[in-house]
């Protein structure tokens, strides 16, 4: 789950899984739209700690399911939770399955990879005839959870170190993916959903981003810099996402989905 600018970044499975239920909902929605009865060979790309991989195993118990991820820590957690699955550590930027897959499934991972205009046709080419590529990616990068991160980065002495780690538009509008994929597939469904996530606790949006987008940004900072960055970012984000009357915080989050058949 690492982009080129953050190769080697350490991902924390415990932090990521703090919001496991909310992070899982888009995967369930995508899984429900996969029109396959009995795929034999399935790969979960960017499997992380394996939450979605286990859902794939449950839906198609006769299939051979492999989880692929670039994080050693995430894969260790995945193997601990389910040693029966094959877990493969690989850089998704250049990864290809050893033989044509019946399903390539990816939940919230491919936005870390550069070059979607070549990546997606390459993944389709790795499918068997009639097989499916199913992808979900967050497209929330123009909202305050991400724009305030960039604003704090630009305003501090750390800008030179953080600039390569900020990608403010890693996911294109839906029509772009239609144009990329349509010449290569026999069927294509592309859509967006905005989830109104209800979060609890103190600074919940900051805690959410600590498990994903904020983590590689904080990594090159020393302890004092990290504290200063977090203080400014937290103040900005809390203003953008104030608690409601009941104390909960609403966090709108847009996600892009696509299901393509070779």
């Amino acid at each position: 789950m690492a982009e080129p600018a953050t190769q080697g970044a350490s991902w924390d499975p415990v932090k990521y899984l703090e919001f496991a239920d909310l992070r899982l909902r888009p995967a369930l929605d995508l899984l429900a739209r996969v029109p396959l009865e009995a795929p034999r060979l399935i790969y979960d790309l960017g499997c992380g700690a394996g939450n979605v991989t286990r859902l794939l195993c449950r839906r198609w118990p006769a299939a051979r399911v492999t989880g692929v991820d670039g994080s050693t820590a995430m894969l260790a957690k995945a193997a601990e939770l389910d040693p029966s699955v094959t877990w493969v550590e690989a850089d998704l930027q250049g990864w290809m399955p050893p033989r044509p897959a019946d399903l390539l499934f990816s939940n919230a991972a491919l936005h870390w990879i550069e070059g979607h205009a070549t990546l997606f046709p390459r993944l389709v080419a790795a499918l068997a005839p009639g097989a499916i590529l199913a992808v979900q990616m967050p497209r929330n990068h123009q909202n305050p959870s991400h724009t305030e991160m960039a604003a704090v980065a630009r305003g501090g002495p750390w800008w030179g170190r953080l600039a390569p780690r900020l990608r403010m538009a890693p996911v294109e509008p839906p029509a772009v993916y239609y144009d990329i994929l349509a010449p290569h597939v026999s069927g294509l469904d592309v859509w967006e959903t905005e989830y109104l996530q209800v979060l609890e606790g103190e600074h919940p949006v900051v805690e959410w981003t600590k498990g994903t987008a904020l983590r590689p940004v904080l990594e090159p900072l020393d302890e004092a810099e990290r504290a200063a960055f977090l203080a400014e970012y937290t103040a900005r984000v809390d203003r953008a996402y104030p608690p409601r009357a009941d104390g909960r915080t609403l966090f709108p989050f847009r996600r892009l989905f696509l299901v393509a058949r070779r």
Side-chain angles (χ1 to χ4, degrees):
M1 298 195 327
E3 63 182 271
T6 59
Q7 289 277 340
S10 59
W11 293 93
D12 183 352
V14 175
K15 191 65 187 177
Y16 183 82
L17 294 173
E18 282 183 7
F19 298 94
D21 290 346
L22 292 175
R23 296 193 196 279
L24 199 59
R25 184 180 171 190
L28 292 168
D29 291 346
L30 179 62
L31 186 60
R33 299 285 285 271
V34 175
L36 292 174
E37 291 296 326
R40 293 169 297 175
L41 189 59
I42 299 172
Y43 290 89
D44 182 11
L45 308 184
C47 63
N51 293 33
V52 176
T53 320
R54 290 186 287 279
L55 293 176
L56 295 170
C57 293
R58 204 170 303 153
R59 176 165 172 183
W60 294 292
R64 179 181 173 186
V65 181
T66 299
V68 184
D69 200 274
S71 168
T72 303
M74 286 289 202
L75 289 172
K77 184 67 174 179
E80 174 190 327
L81 294 172
D82 194 340
S84 66
V85 173
T86 300
W87 306 104
V88 173
E89 185 171 345
D91 178 3
L92 294 179
Q93 188 77 50
W95 177 88
M96 288 284 281
R99 59 192 180 93
D102 298 307
L103 173 61
L104 294 179
F105 192 97
S106 184
N107 179 66
L110 297 186
H111 61 294
W112 294 108
I113 307 301
E114 301 279 6
H116 287 183
T118 56
L119 172 67
F120 281 84
R122 178 168 61 79
L123 292 176
V124 168
L127 296 170
I132 295 292
L133 170 67
V135 175
Q136 181 273 124
M137 298 180 290
R139 204 167 87 82
N140 207 48
H141 295 78
Q142 297 306 311
N143 285 358
S145 56
H146 289 69
T147 58
E148 295 296 357
M149 197 183 305
V152 177
R154 291 191 192 97
W158 39 62
W159 174 240
R161 283 170 288 158
L162 301 188
R165 292 173 172 255
L166 290 166
R167 295 165 64 233
M168 296 313 299
V171 180
E172 301 285 353
V176 172
Y177 293 93
Y178 180 90
D179 291 339
I180 289 172
L181 284 165
H184 305 279
V185 300
S186 62
L188 178 58
D189 188 12
V190 185
W191 73 97
E192 285 189 326
T193 299
E194 183 171 271
Y195 298 87
L196 188 62
Q197 300 179 147
V198 181
L199 307 184
E200 299 187 2
E202 192 175 12
H203 315 304
V205 176
V206 175
E207 294 304 314
W208 175 285
T209 61
K210 279 182 180 178
T212 52
L214 189 58
R215 188 166 185 82
V217 174
L218 293 177
E219 193 162 65
L221 304 181
D222 63 32
E223 186 175 348
E225 290 174 324
R226 191 172 297 138
F229 189 104
L230 274 174
E232 177 64 20
Y233 175 67
T234 299
R236 288 168 173 261
V237 169
D238 284 355
R239 286 195 296 270
Y241 302 97
R244 316 305 291 184
D246 62 0
R248 297 182 175 92
T249 299
L250 300 183
F251 183 28
F253 205 106
R254 179 180 298 179
R255 296 182 180 269
L256 181 144
F257 298 80
L258 65 88
V259 176
R261 183 185 293 272
R262 182 171 185 187

Short mmCIF file of all heavy atoms in Angstrom, two decimals, residues 55-80:
data_model
loop_
_atom_site.label_atom_id
_atom_site.label_comp_id
_atom_site.label_asym_id
_atom_site.label_seq_id
_atom_site.Cartn_x
_atom_site.Cartn_y
_atom_site.Cartn_z
N LEU A 55 -13.00 -11.88 3.44
CA LEU A 55 -14.34 -11.82 2.85
C LEU A 55 -14.38 -12.52 1.50
O LEU A 55 -15.36 -13.21 1.17
CB LEU A 55 -14.78 -10.36 2.70
CG LEU A 55 -15.02 -9.55 3.97
CD1 LEU A 55 -15.35 -8.10 3.61
CD2 LEU A 55 -16.14 -10.16 4.79
N LEU A 56 -13.33 -12.33 0.71
CA LEU A 56 -13.26 -13.01 -0.58
C LEU A 56 -13.23 -14.52 -0.39
O LEU A 56 -13.89 -15.27 -1.13
CB LEU A 56 -12.01 -12.55 -1.33
CG LEU A 56 -11.97 -11.06 -1.73
CD1 LEU A 56 -10.57 -10.68 -2.23
CD2 LEU A 56 -13.00 -10.75 -2.80
N CYS A 57 -12.47 -14.98 0.59
CA CYS A 57 -12.41 -16.42 0.88
C CYS A 57 -13.77 -16.95 1.30
O CYS A 57 -14.17 -18.07 0.93
CB CYS A 57 -11.40 -16.70 1.99
SG CYS A 57 -9.67 -16.39 1.54
N ARG A 58 -14.49 -16.14 2.06
CA ARG A 58 -15.79 -16.56 2.57
C ARG A 58 -16.81 -16.64 1.44
O ARG A 58 -17.64 -17.56 1.39
CB ARG A 58 -16.27 -15.57 3.63
CG ARG A 58 -17.27 -16.13 4.62
CD ARG A 58 -17.49 -15.15 5.76
NE ARG A 58 -16.24 -14.84 6.44
CZ ARG A 58 -16.00 -13.72 7.10
NH1 ARG A 58 -16.93 -12.78 7.13
NH2 ARG A 58 -14.86 -13.52 7.70
N ARG A 59 -16.76 -15.69 0.51
CA ARG A 59 -17.74 -15.71 -0.58
C ARG A 59 -17.45 -16.84 -1.57
O ARG A 59 -18.38 -17.47 -2.08
CB ARG A 59 -17.74 -14.37 -1.32
CG ARG A 59 -18.66 -14.38 -2.53
CD ARG A 59 -18.98 -13.03 -3.06
NE ARG A 59 -19.71 -13.12 -4.31
CZ ARG A 59 -20.09 -12.10 -5.05
NH1 ARG A 59 -19.83 -10.86 -4.65
NH2 ARG A 59 -20.74 -12.26 -6.18
N TRP A 60 -16.16 -17.09 -1.85
CA TRP A 60 -15.79 -18.14 -2.81
C TRP A 60 -14.84 -19.13 -2.14
O TRP A 60 -13.63 -19.12 -2.37
CB TRP A 60 -15.12 -17.50 -4.03
CG TRP A 60 -16.06 -16.63 -4.83
CD1 TRP A 60 -17.12 -17.04 -5.58
CD2 TRP A 60 -16.01 -15.20 -4.97
NE1 TRP A 60 -17.74 -15.97 -6.18
CE2 TRP A 60 -17.08 -14.82 -5.83
CE3 TRP A 60 -15.16 -14.20 -4.48
CZ2 TRP A 60 -17.32 -13.50 -6.20
CZ3 TRP A 60 -15.41 -12.88 -4.82
CH2 TRP A 60 -16.47 -12.54 -5.67
N PRO A 61 -15.36 -20.00 -1.30
CA PRO A 61 -14.51 -20.90 -0.51
C PRO A 61 -13.70 -21.89 -1.35
O PRO A 61 -12.68 -22.42 -0.88
CB PRO A 61 -15.50 -21.63 0.40
CG PRO A 61 -16.83 -21.46 -0.25
CD PRO A 61 -16.79 -20.15 -0.96
N ALA A 62 -14.13 -22.16 -2.58
CA ALA A 62 -13.38 -23.09 -3.44
C ALA A 62 -12.26 -22.42 -4.21
O ALA A 62 -11.45 -23.10 -4.85
CB ALA A 62 -14.34 -23.78 -4.41
N ALA A 63 -12.19 -21.09 -4.16
CA ALA A 63 -11.19 -20.36 -4.93
C ALA A 63 -9.84 -20.38 -4.23
O ALA A 63 -9.75 -20.51 -3.00
CB ALA A 63 -11.63 -18.92 -5.15
N ARG A 64 -8.78 -20.20 -5.02
CA ARG A 64 -7.45 -19.97 -4.47
C ARG A 64 -7.27 -18.45 -4.36
O ARG A 64 -7.24 -17.75 -5.36
CB ARG A 64 -6.40 -20.56 -5.38
CG ARG A 64 -4.98 -20.33 -4.87
CD ARG A 64 -3.95 -20.90 -5.83
NE ARG A 64 -2.60 -20.55 -5.43
CZ ARG A 64 -1.52 -20.83 -6.15
NH1 ARG A 64 -1.64 -21.49 -7.30
NH2 ARG A 64 -0.32 -20.48 -5.71
N VAL A 65 -7.20 -17.96 -3.12
CA VAL A 65 -7.15 -16.52 -2.87
C VAL A 65 -5.76 -16.13 -2.36
O VAL A 65 -5.24 -16.76 -1.44
CB VAL A 65 -8.22 -16.09 -1.86
CG1 VAL A 65 -8.16 -14.58 -1.62
CG2 VAL A 65 -9.61 -16.49 -2.34
N THR A 66 -5.18 -15.11 -2.98
CA THR A 66 -3.86 -14.61 -2.59
C THR A 66 -3.97 -13.13 -2.25
O THR A 66 -4.54 -12.35 -3.00
CB THR A 66 -2.84 -14.79 -3.74
OG1 THR A 66 -2.72 -16.19 -4.04
CG2 THR A 66 -1.47 -14.25 -3.35
N GLY A 67 -3.41 -12.74 -1.11
CA GLY A 67 -3.34 -11.35 -0.72
C GLY A 67 -1.97 -10.78 -1.08
O GLY A 67 -0.95 -11.39 -0.77
N VAL A 68 -1.96 -9.62 -1.73
CA VAL A 68 -0.71 -9.00 -2.19
C VAL A 68 -0.62 -7.61 -1.57
O VAL A 68 -1.56 -6.82 -1.66
CB VAL A 68 -0.67 -8.89 -3.73
CG1 VAL A 68 0.68 -8.33 -4.19
CG2 VAL A 68 -0.94 -10.24 -4.38
N ASP A 69 0.53 -7.30 -0.96
CA ASP A 69 0.69 -5.99 -0.34
C ASP A 69 2.18 -5.66 -0.26
O ASP A 69 3.02 -6.56 -0.26
CB ASP A 69 0.07 -5.97 1.06
CG ASP A 69 -0.24 -4.56 1.53
OD1 ASP A 69 0.65 -3.90 2.08
OD2 ASP A 69 -1.38 -4.10 1.31
N GLY A 70 2.48 -4.37 -0.16
CA GLY A 70 3.87 -3.94 -0.07
C GLY A 70 4.35 -3.72 1.35
O GLY A 70 5.53 -3.36 1.54
N SER A 71 3.50 -3.92 2.35
CA SER A 71 3.86 -3.66 3.74
C SER A 71 4.13 -4.96 4.49
O SER A 71 3.24 -5.79 4.66
CB SER A 71 2.74 -2.89 4.45
OG SER A 71 2.95 -2.86 5.84
N THR A 72 5.35 -5.10 4.99
CA THR A 72 5.70 -6.28 5.78
C THR A 72 4.85 -6.37 7.04
O THR A 72 4.38 -7.45 7.41
CB THR A 72 7.20 -6.23 6.16
OG1 THR A 72 7.98 -6.13 4.96
CG2 THR A 72 7.61 -7.45 6.93
N ALA A 73 4.63 -5.22 7.70
CA ALA A 73 3.86 -5.21 8.95
C ALA A 73 2.42 -5.62 8.72
O ALA A 73 1.84 -6.40 9.49
CB ALA A 73 3.92 -3.83 9.59
N MET A 74 1.82 -5.10 7.65
CA MET A 74 0.43 -5.45 7.35
C MET A 74 0.31 -6.95 7.03
O MET A 74 -0.61 -7.63 7.50
CB MET A 74 -0.08 -4.62 6.18
CG MET A 74 -0.37 -3.17 6.51
SD MET A 74 -1.83 -3.00 7.56
CE MET A 74 -2.28 -1.30 7.23
N LEU A 75 1.23 -7.48 6.25
CA LEU A 75 1.17 -8.89 5.88
C LEU A 75 1.41 -9.80 7.09
O LEU A 75 0.82 -10.88 7.18
CB LEU A 75 2.18 -9.19 4.78
CG LEU A 75 1.83 -8.60 3.40
CD1 LEU A 75 2.99 -8.80 2.44
CD2 LEU A 75 0.56 -9.23 2.84
N ALA A 76 2.26 -9.37 8.02
CA ALA A 76 2.48 -10.14 9.23
C ALA A 76 1.20 -10.24 10.04
O ALA A 76 0.85 -11.31 10.57
CB ALA A 76 3.60 -9.52 10.07
N LYS A 77 0.47 -9.12 10.13
CA LYS A 77 -0.82 -9.13 10.83
C LYS A 77 -1.82 -10.01 10.09
O LYS A 77 -2.56 -10.78 10.72
CB LYS A 77 -1.35 -7.70 10.93
CG LYS A 77 -2.65 -7.58 11.73
CD LYS A 77 -2.41 -7.91 13.19
CE LYS A 77 -3.65 -7.66 14.03
NZ LYS A 77 -3.44 -8.00 15.47
N ALA A 78 -1.83 -9.94 8.77
CA ALA A 78 -2.74 -10.76 7.97
C ALA A 78 -2.46 -12.24 8.18
O ALA A 78 -3.39 -13.04 8.37
CB ALA A 78 -2.60 -10.40 6.49
N ALA A 79 -1.19 -12.62 8.16
CA ALA A 79 -0.82 -14.03 8.34
C ALA A 79 -1.14 -14.52 9.74
O ALA A 79 -1.51 -15.68 9.94
CB ALA A 79 0.67 -14.21 8.04
N GLU A 80 -1.01 -13.62 10.71
CA GLU A 80 -1.35 -13.97 12.10
C GLU A 80 -2.84 -14.27 12.23
O GLU A 80 -3.23 -15.22 12.91
CB GLU A 80 -0.95 -12.81 13.02
CG GLU A 80 -1.37 -12.97 14.46
CD GLU A 80 -1.15 -11.68 15.25
OE1 GLU A 80 -0.20 -10.95 14.95
OE2 GLU A 80 -1.96 -11.41 16.16
#
